[in-house]
Amino acid sequence: MARKIIIDTDPGQDDAVAILLALASPEEIDVAGIVAVAGNVGLAQNAKNALKVVELSGRRDVAVYAGCARPMMRELITAEHVHGHTGLDGPDLPEPKLRLETIHGVDFIIDTIRREPEKTVTLCALGPLTNLAMALIKAPDITERIEEIVLMGGAYFEVGNITPAAEFNIYVDPEAARTVFACGAPITMMPLDVTHQMLGTPERVAAFSAVGNRSGAAVAAMLGFSERFDLKKYGWPGAPLHDPCVIAYLLKPEIFKGRVCNVEIETASPLTRGMTVADYWHVTDRPRNASFIRSGDADAFYALLTERIARLP
Ligand code: RIB
Ligand code: CA
């Protein structure tokens, strides 16, 4: 039985690869819908990018919804400096023919979780947590019905990427992150600690081109664009690939290792806003609310990605 998921996303090249990985794996993953959130770029462009990726995948059966246009309490901060003006610079993907659904993405999340049997819907969050938090606030009854929240966000041993203390997804909407991490649903987080091990070296990026289909070529073009910022910043042999870790975890959890611990979100301090404070060594008696994934097998990760992208058009 395929696992039913909702993908909440701000595409973003790495989001796009995560979406393609999920859509290439229908035997294991049933994507109930994709909800766009403001993050890497503005909501409208992120939603359009999600439509483009669904069309690229050939999975025109998957619906796309628009969620929240800005964080719960703060002004939106975007990341065009990493992802380009469109948020999906790199490949020249055609204007989407698919249209957005009319209901709000937050209502789609609520309705789906209420409709489906308890503990059968997993929320996969690849951007700021605004939509998930708003769904939990608007419909607290869904909390115990959620099977699991698997999210890309945060950092602890690896420290931040948008500030010295914070990772981008959490930094953009720290109040939303606090709401999600305090909700009580099972949470598995993919922080920079593990995504910074998943480096897209030239060989690994070339393997996508070598697949020979349009999806592989698009993935190589996406990573070839978004890697520029990180290669310059970190000087590593490849750029980290963040969001596909969420979907890879659903497909092959054995690739990843971590431990359950307490994770709290800083929302008050301007200096450390959005920091995920992980009590990894259990030095407090704070509730152990998240599985903090600290490491992963990069070769297995990229082998999975390449093999699944090859299944697409
Ligand atoms: O910090 C990395 C995260 O921020 C990824 O989800 C990337 O897409 C950006 O949204
Ligand atoms: Ca993202």
Side-chain angles (χ1 to χ4, degrees), residues 8 35-39 43 66-72 104-106 130-131 134:
D8 194 86
V35 182
V37 66
L43 173 67
C68 294
R70 70 166 182 80
M72 293 204 309
H104 193 283
V106 170
T130 314
N131 291 335
M134 293 296 280

Side-chain angles (χ1 to χ4, degrees), residues 9-12 14-15 40 83 126-128 152 169 243:
T9 178
D10 61 338
D14 61 321
D15 301 67
N40 281 324
H83 300 279
L126 312 180
M152 190 278 137
N169 287 341
D243 293 337

